[in-house]
Amino acid sequence: MHDILPIDYKYYEKVLETGKEVAEFYNFQRIETPILEMSELFEKGTGETTDIVQKQMYSLKTRGGDALTLRPEGTPPAVRLYLEHGMFNYPQPVKLWYYGPFFRYEKPQAGRYRQFWQMGLEVIGEKNSIIDAQTIQIYYNILKELKLNNLIVEVNCIGDQLCRPHYRKTLASYLRSKDSNLCADCKRRIKENPLRILDCKDEKCQAVKAHAPQMIDHLCEECKHHFKEVLEYLDEIGLPYRLNPYLVRGLDYYTRTVFEIFQEGKEGQAQTALGGGGRYDYLIKLLGGKETPAMGGSLGVDRVVQAMKEAQITMDNEKKVKVFLAQLGYLGKKKSLKLFEDLRRANIQVGESFDRDSLKSQLKIADKYGAQLTLFLGQKEALEGTVLIRNMETGRQETVKLENAVVEIKKRLKK
Ligand code: AMP
């Protein structure tokens, strides 16, 4: 888990602002779910056999005996919210977005944290393939708006309840025949979740994967048709994508379309995906609702920030100090505190250094800020009820009445 320092916070804010702008353009509405949920939600929703549930959850028992988990991902909580608040009665689809911290017990390494931030979008109640394409496009647009280049979307279709069980069997029987060439984790996965082997990054498993039967050749007619349409929509909007038959994503609830977004050259490594998601047509029913199709995904904000920094994208959202307020002596300080508040009310960005007593050191700070005007309020000015305004460019100095200070400063400020 890591701290976010001011220098990085600007990037996090930029991602949030951009994500919000884009999501709102597409009529998504923001939600917030609690950071703690009943463990059961993820055991059921994310899936008992997934790495997240088996190895990565931070879980605890309350004094009352409830089993709770720090949310490792956002989709099951969003679906819980949809069901709990009767959103199935709203006009469908319901489009929701969220931003916040998520928690997974991971081996910490670059791009993998135990507390990380995600921005997620969920479209609940629509099965049409156009939604799959548009959801992918929204993530792509957010990254583009953030000025990230060389983006590539990887897509795959992992079938549905009709065709996947059959493929699972075919794959499992192929894998059993290659059992001795698999890593220890994958040996276990053959029985529990053979599709996950396609996702394994272990050297040992690569050769086995290369010859494995592919889902795309085992899709039922409906899935094939749905996927064909998704790709045609992506072609139509000119989105750069690549088919990746090994992309299965780690979670049980995905059906049909799955995707991940990378920067070209960095794809294929586990901790470089900037975001990902997919369709989850059975999750709502699994969590107690009616059968309801849905599509969603999330951006890994920490990784997006990292990519922005690597691309040397600079943040210039610091408020520019236009006026610096320098003071001398106790009386000067007293009047300055009041003037400072007057300037705040007038919405003039003002810098100060109330803790300094030397005029020289205060002027140095004014210079560093690049202030247009510096105000002086010393013992003499305080007694006379005036303030001295110095134009930092021309060096010209004028004394004005304290009660007119705000108006006089405004007159002298360049826009
Ligand atoms: P996932 O649904 O697990 O693929 O997560 C979606 C996105 O969140 C990923 O593409 C990553 O960008 C990001 N992400 C997932 N896990 C972590 C982590 N442990 N640390 C940082 N970012 C993560």
Side-chain angles (χ1 to χ4, degrees):
M1 297 187 190
H2 62 120
D3 297 319
I4 303 177
L5 301 182
I7 189 162
D8 285 340
Y9 213 88
K10 288 183 215 162
Y11 288 88
Y12 280 80
E13 270 181 339
K14 179 76 184 167
V15 179
L16 172 60
E17 276 164 24
T18 308
K20 175 176 156 63
E21 243 168 58
V22 176
E24 284 177 355
F25 176 83
Y26 289 93
N27 295 313
F28 282 76
Q29 291 185 298
R30 188 169 180 173
I31 54 165
E32 192 86 56
T33 61
I35 282 170
L36 276 170
E37 294 273 359
M38 303 298 270
S39 303
E40 194 192 14
L41 177 68
F42 302 107
E43 287 159 5
K44 239 177 152 178
T46 311
E48 296 272 17
T49 65
T50 59
D51 281 359
I52 288 189
V53 172
Q54 286 190 347
K55 302 186 199 163
Q56 295 186 303
M57 296 208 303
Y58 282 99
S59 297
L60 57 104
K61 257 220 158 78
T62 64
R63 283 189 201 174
D66 287 333
L68 304 181
T69 292
L70 284 173
R71 59 184 189 183
E73 56 140 339
T75 304
V79 170
R80 180 197 52 68
L81 170 144
Y82 170 90
L83 291 172
E84 217 170 285
H85 299 274
M87 289 188 175
F88 39 82
N89 292 321
Y90 293 16
Q92 306 290 300
V94 172
K95 294 167 145 195
L96 307 170
W97 77 276
Y98 49 85
Y99 175 95
F102 292 84
F103 305 82
R104 291 183 200 170
Y105 186 82
E106 309 254 16
K107 206 162 92 201
Q109 52 192 294
R112 245 188 222 301
Y113 300 108
R114 291 178 171 175
Q115 174 173 353
F116 56 97
W117 271 255
Q118 282 189 341
M119 187 232 162
L121 299 159
E122 314 289 350
V123 184
I124 306 179
E126 178 55 64
K127 66 171 195 283
N128 198 295
S129 50
I130 194 165
I131 293 296
D132 304 41
Q134 200 181 39
T135 306
I136 297 172
Q137 167 153 59
I138 296 172
Y139 286 111
Y140 182 81
N141 286 352
I142 295 173
L143 295 170
K144 268 295 198 211
E145 288 273 317
L146 289 168
K147 304 202 172 54
L148 288 175
N149 288 323
N150 305 322
L151 298 169
I152 178 88
V153 179
E154 292 196 343
V155 276
N156 193 20
C157 177
I158 58 168
D160 64 5
Q161 275 174 346
L162 200 67
C163 52
R164 195 160 41 180
H166 181 64
Y167 170 67
R168 228 178 116 120
K169 258 192 205 156
T170 312
L171 181 64
S173 89
Y174 164 80
L175 293 170
R176 264 195 299 276
S177 73
K178 309 281 176 206
D179 189 4
S180 54
N181 299 326
L182 292 171
C183 73
D185 266 347
C186 283
K187 279 184 185 147
R188 177 176 50 79
R189 284 173 182 147
I190 296 183
K191 212 168 145 207
E192 289 182 349
N193 196 349
L195 262 72
R196 282 289 281 140
I197 299 175
L198 299 177
D199 204 23
C200 181
K201 303 290 181 287
D202 195 292
E203 277 285 319
K204 259 188 115 180
C205 304
Q206 303 311 306
V208 181
K209 266 168 61 172
H211 298 101
Q214 297 190 353
M215 182 73 232
I216 200 104
D217 300 321
H218 294 79
L219 294 176
C220 62
E221 278 314 307
E222 270 197 52
C223 284
K224 216 185 275 176
H225 182 71
H226 190 272
F227 193 45
K228 185 169 156 279
E229 282 183 354
V230 172
L231 300 183
E232 282 170 3
Y233 282 126
L234 293 179
D235 284 332
E236 186 66 29
I237 51 183
L239 201 117
Y241 71 86
R242 187 162 37 223
L243 292 181
N244 177 357
Y246 302 124
L247 181 66
V248 289
R249 310 229 345 113
L251 317 178
D252 277 1
Y253 52 65
Y254 285 116
T255 40
R256 294 190 169 169
T257 317
V258 288
F259 73 96
E260 278 186 347
I261 308 184
F262 296 89
Q263 277 186 297
E264 194 81 61
K266 291 188 175 172
E267 64 274 31
Q269 299 157 31
Q271 61 276 26
T272 51
L274 296 174
R279 182 160 274 290
Y280 48 95
D281 291 345
Y282 306 125
L283 182 62
I284 290 99
K285 186 163 178 204
L286 187 74
L287 294 178
K290 281 194 304 203
E291 195 162 314
T292 312
M295 167 84 197
S298 61
L299 274 187
V301 179
D302 311 80
R303 290 193 195 166
V304 174
V305 166
Q306 187 57 31
M308 288 165 76
K309 286 164 71 180
E310 278 170 18
Q312 299 185 338
I313 294 166
T314 50
M315 286 294 112
D316 190 25
N317 55 3
E318 226 166 74
K319 290 217 174 101
K320 197 107 179 79
V321 165
K322 292 186 166 172
V323 175
F324 186 83
L325 176 51
Q327 39 66 39
L328 267 184
Y330 178 62
L331 251 176
K333 270 196 190 356
K334 241 165 100 176
K335 297 282 176 203
S336 293
L337 196 59
K338 162 86 171 45
L339 179 57
F340 192 82
E341 290 307 308
D342 293 343
L343 290 167
R344 190 187 71 79
R345 270 194 294 276
N347 213 10
I348 297 172
Q349 196 64 43
V350 52
E352 49 70 30
S353 186
F354 290 142
D355 57 334
R356 313 251 158 156
D357 290 328
S358 128
L359 198 56
K360 203 166 146 206
S361 69
Q362 292 187 63
L363 279 177
K364 257 196 201 152
I365 299 171
D367 255 353
K368 220 168 90 192
Y369 276 133
Q372 290 176 35
L373 306 175
T374 296
L375 317 178
F376 295 95
L377 237 166
Q379 182 87 356
K380 175 170 167 280
E381 287 80 12
L383 285 171
E384 287 172 355
T386 60
V387 59
L388 189 81
I389 305 178
R390 179 189 172 97
N391 182 316
M392 298 298 276
E393 211 178 281
T394 62
R396 193 167 159 217
Q397 303 197 146
E398 293 162 278
T399 303
V400 302
K401 282 218 154 91
L402 205 46
E403 69 237 40
N404 301 334
V406 170
V407 177
E408 295 296 333
I409 290 163
K410 270 192 174 160
K411 265 196 232 162
R412 288 167 178 76
L413 274 179
K414 275 194 281 190
K415 287 284 167 250

